[in-house]
Amino acid sequence: VASLAHLGTEIGKLDAEIARCAKENEVARRLMTVPGIGPLIATAIAVLAPPPETFRKARDFAAWLGLTPRQHSTGGKQRLGANTKMGERSLRRLLIIGANSVIIKRHVHAAARPGTWLGEMLTRKPPMLVRVALANKMARIVWALMARGGAYQSPTAAA
């Protein structure tokens, strides 16, 4: 019990250090405005992701993370398969965990209410597919925030 209590205090110290680093880093502060991205994920993206100029567009960044579907297209017919999972493993996992937190707390987030893109996806598709689709969308938003600057504005607030 004492070792668990000691580990709990060590984890608390590390969480406080990560939160402090996230507040000091300008990119991480902007990334934390996206629902589902907290200090840990924002700091990890700010540190581990290459500069946004490396990628031509947001889809390329999502593909680098391994969040885009594999294409088996021929003769003008587009066939999309499962996710490639060929990219940065740790960031992909963190974004999927962040998407999961948005889905779990959907009563809090306006973007997940019924009638929205996420709300409709949750009624029609399997939950894990929706989590990965939301993680893909979050990755594209992250690239846009890193490349163009600014803070995230929810679609309901922008409309």
Side-chain angles (χ1 to χ4, degrees):
V1 172
S3 63
L4 284 177
H6 175 69
L7 285 175
T9 58
E10 290 298 316
I11 289 172
K13 289 177 188 176
L14 292 174
D15 281 343
E17 179 70 18
I18 289 171
R20 186 189 59 75
C21 289
K23 287 179 183 175
E24 290 175 359
N25 189 333
E26 191 263 332
V27 173
R29 263 197 325 265
R30 283 191 284 119
L31 293 179
M32 286 192 295
T33 59
V34 178
I37 296 183
L40 178 70
I41 298 173
T43 306
I45 290 172
V47 172
L48 296 176
E53 300 83 31
T54 308
F55 308 102
R56 270 192 10 239
K57 52 190 173 192
R59 188 182 197 285
D60 295 339
F61 180 67
W64 178 76
L65 290 171
L67 288 170
T68 55
R70 179 172 283 132
Q71 292 189 11
H72 301 284
S73 304
T74 180
K77 180 155 180 127
Q78 189 179 34
R79 294 186 182 132
L80 301 176
N83 282 349
T84 57
K85 297 182 187 171
M86 297 292 285
E88 171 60 42
R89 187 177 189 176
S90 58
L91 291 180
R92 179 177 61 244
R93 283 182 176 175
L94 287 173
L95 283 172
I96 291 173
I97 289 169
N100 189 37
S101 73
V102 171
I103 291 172
I104 288 172
K105 297 185 179 215
R106 62 179 163 256
H107 61 279
V108 175
H109 299 290
R113 294 207 174 105
T116 61
W117 172 83
L118 185 57
E120 295 300 315
M121 286 281 285
L122 285 167
T123 59
R124 291 183 284 126
K125 302 286 184 182
M128 190 60 196
L129 187 139
V130 176
R131 287 177 180 91
V132 174
L134 181 58
N136 184 354
K137 194 171 189 176
M138 287 168 56
R140 292 171 185 232
I141 292 169
V142 162
W143 180 85
L145 290 178
M146 289 189 329
R148 299 188 186 114
Y152 175 74
Q153 294 179 351
S154 67
T156 54

